[in-house]
Amino acid sequence: MARHRALVTRVRRRLAKWPVAITGLVVLILLGWLAWTWLGGVLERRAAAEANGCTNGDVVLRVAVTPSIAQPVRDAAQRWTETHPVIDDSCVRLQVQSVESQTVLTGLTTKWDTGKLGEQPAAWLPDSMLWANRLTAQNNSIVSTQPQSVATSPVVLATQQSGADALASGDLVQWTDLPGLTSAPNGWSGYGKPQWGKFRLAVPDPATNPASALAVQSALAGATANGTGPVTTDMLAQPGVKDTIAKLANSRASGAPADTLDALDGLAKAADIGTASYGAVPVTEVDLYRRNLGKDGAPKPATPLYEVAMGGASPAADFPFVTLSGSWVSQTQNKAAQQFRDFVRQGAQQKLFATAGLRVAATPDHPTDATGMRWPAISQTLVPADATTTQDISASWTAAALGNEVLSVLVDTSPAMGADGVKAVRNALTGEVNRTVSGSMGLWAYAAGLDGDKPYKQLVPVVRIDQGVDQLHAGIDKLTPGNGSQLYASILAVYQSVLANYQDGKHNRVVVVVAGKNDGGLTVDQLRTQLGQLKDGKRPVSVNIIAVGGNVDHDQLSGIAQDTGGSLASVQNGSGVDAALAQLLSTTG
């Protein structure tokens, strides 16, 4: 059958001119009104600013806040805004961003993702000083003033109601009891529940979960003179303390989630403690309160968990207000951050935090809408360890828990490091060897002519630390100031050695401690090209760099670290190497 295409005749009609003219006039009037409104708004804001003394216009103060305290901080921010704060003749506008602490730390120490997070903050309010310690361990010039606590929340154990009732029927569990309790084959029998067997404790990664890290500190505090802390770096080398860390790390529940909130969810969903893979989780009181009510963004659990207060020195998250001093923070923003910090520490604002489930000195009040919460009085408070020791504790825990670290350390002994710098590095490495309960380490140095015409030398081959303590000590003592600094050729030599002697199933890493610039041999582009050619997805080797002082090429070093999946830490002098090294070794990535 033949197909015929229909013919359509299009008739063009002429439009009348008067509707077009009227439409154009309406558009012009509308545009004029919008322009007048916008101009009027600008003039009104400018007049208001000038009336308030804001001749320099507006300045935005961004504060990144951990979610567990974000709402009361927003409420306090609203109150502060209503006071019309003016600093350096600028009107201050406050923006509170609720961001997980790990995300903020990563952004501040690598690259801030403005697309996801907005502009970088001028201040940070994490849940614990442990986060600020990690920040300064990676960049100890980024914090402008000493952080100050705005509220606290004690660390408690969360368990099912039956577990809480059982623990309440026996002697009060002390934090220092945990290593023995969790390592015993029938820990629950002391609380009338022999059928539950082993007391299995979930300990989410202490490097990223402050409640776990603080619980470990309290478990170690029994070794201090008064039993309340602080734990010190020297203590961590004592056999009894090393044994306590190993015992607690090795007896923790296997397969437990690495995140505290995930661990709480898993325990809440378990049929009972006897069949659960773990029966208790250390958590801050405020996070347990928020979890039971579903205030943390996840669905409310069908069965709430119960708070168990522990005896002994009670650890607490201290919610420090951290003012930052990055290149993106102006002097006015820094002043504004300090003024807002002082504002939220005033009594009226402190009560906002109490309403949200935090502890403050201004009032003993607490929420009444929380099943499972008991808000116990705290009789003893843990004195927290200092910044360096907190990193050392975390590194010791990671070594004990995983035992798979294979570390090749390359140390700059050129004139840039200097005698004091080399001495500080020796002390840091000696401390690490003395504290570590497992893992392996090798040692290299670089400077001109260390090994014939080579600008580097292997002082100690990779050995198990527990079997090579004397060998490692002897090698560390050989770190002495030299001349020249062929950094990039030295990094390549160590990287090739690690690949040639790769230990499968282990975490093979290179750590470079550098204080000067490359002065010969390979260029940075040549190094990065060769590292790219050597890179093997089945045998990953990260290059992690600790830059000491300001005489280094940070951009070049950062590129090398990023190419290999490593990290870059910047410290002002050799005294910061200990914390930076420990912070690096506390992470498993």
Side-chain angles (χ1 to χ4, degrees):
M1 179 181 295
R3 295 184 178 180
H4 301 278
R5 180 178 296 171
L7 299 178
V8 179
T9 302
R10 297 185 178 180
V11 180
R12 178 174 294 178
R13 298 182 180 181
R14 299 185 64 183
L15 297 175
K17 295 181 178 180
W18 65 268
V20 175
I22 292 176
T23 301
L25 180 62
V26 170
V27 170
L28 288 173
I29 292 172
L30 179 60
L31 290 174
W33 179 80
L34 290 174
W36 177 258
T37 301
W38 173 81
L39 180 60
V42 170
L43 294 175
E44 183 178 352
R45 287 193 296 273
R46 183 176 299 171
E50 291 177 353
N52 288 328
C54 303
T55 55
N56 290 334
D58 290 351
V59 64
V60 178
L61 172 62
R62 296 178 179 86
V63 183
V65 180
T66 188
S68 55
I69 201 173
Q71 189 54 56
V73 173
R74 287 195 181 99
D75 293 340
Q78 179 61 39
R79 291 183 178 182
W80 194 58
T81 299
E82 291 171 357
T83 68
H84 305 291
V86 178
I87 298 174
D88 293 339
D89 296 326
S90 296
C91 285
V92 180
R93 292 193 295 112
L94 190 57
Q95 292 182 0
V96 176
Q97 302 166 282
S98 177
V99 191
E100 295 289 349
S101 295
Q102 179 63 65
T103 302
V104 177
L105 177 69
T106 300
L108 292 175
T109 55
T110 55
K111 184 177 181 181
W112 189 265
D113 189 340
T114 55
K116 293 182 179 179
L117 303 174
E119 296 300 321
Q120 288 175 280
W124 180 27
L125 210 170
D127 56 352
S128 171
M129 190 65 191
L130 273 69
W131 291 108
N133 291 339
R134 292 187 65 194
L135 176 62
T136 55
Q138 291 183 256
N139 185 345
N140 60 9
S141 65
I142 198 171
V143 176
S144 67
T145 59
Q146 179 63 33
Q148 296 183 27
S149 172
V150 303
T152 64
S153 185
V155 176
V156 298
L157 282 189
T159 186
Q160 294 184 358
Q161 183 176 7
S162 57
D165 292 342
L167 291 172
S169 68
D171 294 335
L172 180 64
V173 185
Q174 307 284 313
W175 286 106
T176 51
D177 293 338
L178 287 180
L181 179 63
T182 57
S183 60
N186 56 348
W188 278 108
S189 62
Y191 298 94
K193 296 291 182 180
Q195 68 273 23
W196 288 352
K198 187 178 177 65
F199 190 103
R200 297 179 180 86
L201 181 68
V203 186
D205 187 359
T208 53
N209 295 272
S212 295
L214 291 167
V216 171
Q217 274 197 45
S218 279
L220 299 177
T224 62
N226 57 9
T228 61
V231 178
T232 66
T233 294
D234 290 341
M235 284 177 53
L236 299 177
Q238 296 174 6
V241 174
K242 292 169 68 172
D243 181 65
T244 298
I245 294 176
K247 186 179 291 185
L248 187 56
N250 294 329
S251 63
R252 75 197 191 286
S254 61
D259 178 79
T260 298
L261 296 184
D262 290 341
L264 293 176
D265 280 340
L267 182 56
K269 293 174 182 177
D272 61 75
I273 291 179
T275 58
S277 59
Y278 53 92
V281 184
V283 60
T284 58
E285 188 177 59
V286 66
D287 280 346
L288 178 59
Y289 163 67
R290 285 163 50 81
R291 179 79 293 274
N292 278 346
L293 293 181
K295 289 188 174 186
D296 54 10
K300 179 180 177 179
T303 303
L305 296 176
Y306 276 68
E307 173 182 22
V308 176
M310 303 283 284
S314 177
D318 53 355
F319 293 88
F321 194 104
V322 183
T323 55
L324 303 174
S325 59
S327 59
W328 63 93
V329 182
S330 69
Q331 184 177 8
T332 301
Q333 289 171 319
N334 190 266
K335 290 180 181 178
Q338 294 182 52
Q339 287 195 20
F340 180 60
R341 175 201 63 200
D342 295 342
F343 181 80
V344 298
R345 284 166 53 85
Q346 294 174 3
Q349 284 64 249
Q350 289 282 282
K351 293 179 180 179
L352 295 172
F353 297 123
T355 302
L358 293 135
R359 306 269 184 130
V360 294
T363 177
D365 293 345
H366 53 74
T368 59
D369 59 346
T371 302
M373 304 305 299
R374 294 170 176 171
W375 314 104
I378 305 300
S379 58
Q380 284 185 311
T381 301
L382 173 74
V383 180
D386 63 29
T388 298
T389 305
T390 59
Q391 303 308 312
D392 290 334
I393 294 171
S394 190
S396 296
W397 169 274
T398 301
L402 301 179
N404 66 350
E405 190 74 60
V406 180
L407 203 65
S408 294
V409 182
L410 173 65
V411 179
D412 182 355
T413 56
S414 72
M417 182 67 76
D420 289 343
V422 171
K423 181 179 179 181
V425 175
R426 284 202 303 263
N427 291 338
L429 292 176
T430 299
E432 188 58 42
V433 169
N434 292 342
R435 293 187 298 268
T436 301
V437 298
S438 62
S440 303
M441 181 185 291
L443 181 63
W444 298 65
Y446 74 94
L450 279 182
D451 189 9
D453 60 349
K454 296 178 182 178
Y456 51 82
K457 184 176 183 179
Q458 186 175 32
L459 303 178
V460 184
V462 173
V463 295
R464 279 184 49 175
I465 294 177
D466 60 348
Q467 297 176 353
V469 172
D470 292 339
Q471 191 177 359
L472 286 165
H473 282 170
I476 292 169
D477 288 341
K478 293 178 182 178
L479 292 171
T480 55
N483 297 304
S485 175
Q486 291 191 23
L487 168 64
Y488 300 142
S490 303
I491 291 176
L492 180 62
V494 178
Y495 192 92
Q496 291 171 324
S497 176
V498 173
L499 279 178
N501 299 280
Y502 194 86
Q503 297 190 27
D504 292 327
K506 301 292 183 70
H507 196 193
N508 296 257
R509 288 199 270 192
V510 175
V511 173
V512 185
V513 184
V514 54
K517 298 179 180 179
N518 186 68
D519 66 359
L522 293 178
T523 66
V524 66
D525 290 336
Q526 290 171 332
L527 171 63
R528 294 177 71 174
T529 297
Q530 293 198 47
L531 289 177
Q533 294 170 348
L534 291 169
K535 191 173 182 179
D536 184 349
K538 295 181 179 179
R539 297 184 301 163
V541 177
S542 62
V543 177
N544 306 270
I545 302 173
I546 300 173
V548 181
N551 187 34
V552 293
D553 290 313
H554 283 93
D555 290 342
Q556 294 183 3
L557 297 178
S558 178
I560 295 167
Q562 290 181 18
D563 287 350
T564 60
S567 62
L568 172 64
S570 298
V571 297
Q572 294 174 334
N573 51 56
S575 64
V577 172
D578 192 345
L581 178 61
Q583 197 281 327
L584 167 66
L585 298 182
S586 69
T587 60
T588 57

